[in-house]
Amino acid sequence: MKTIKTSVLIPTGLHAGPARHFIQEAKKFPCLVKIRFRGREFDAKSMIGILGAGIAYGDMVEIVCTGEHEEDACSALAEFLCSTHGA
């Protein structure tokens, strides 16, 4: 299991378009990918999960990846969340 804590720097947070792009990125990896936010855990490959989390600009999240290519997945997803454009 690999975890990375990062701030969300996408101006709109993980809503609509950025959420869709984030999920597409997460689905590139075969490992299990979760986001921990405010004491809860969300499926990072699910639109309902991501939108339900309500992650906004500046929020601190933890990306948790378990399985094949977990390190690559964590790095790529953390980089995505740190981008200011969200795509």
Side-chain angles (χ1 to χ4, degrees):
M1 178 171 67
K2 174 72 176 171
T3 62
I4 292 179
K5 288 185 181 181
T6 187
S7 293
V8 176
L9 300 181
I10 301 165
T12 60
L14 277 181
H15 300 284
R20 181 174 46 85
H21 292 295
F22 180 81
I23 291 163
Q24 288 172 343
E25 187 67 24
K27 286 183 175 181
K28 291 179 182 177
F29 299 95
C31 58
L32 181 67
V33 183
K34 302 280 186 180
I35 289 186
R36 289 184 186 150
F37 178 61
R38 294 189 179 159
R40 296 181 61 202
E41 200 167 82
F42 302 90
D43 182 354
K45 296 181 180 182
S46 163
M47 183 63 86
I48 293 171
I50 295 298
L51 292 179
I55 299 168
Y57 173 81
D59 285 339
M60 180 66 70
V61 299
E62 187 173 12
I63 301 167
V64 182
C65 300
T66 306
E68 190 176 357
H69 302 290
E70 62 189 24
E71 297 223 3
D72 293 335
C74 270
S75 294
L77 294 170
E79 185 177 317
F80 179 92
L81 293 177
C82 288
S83 69
T84 56
H85 54 78

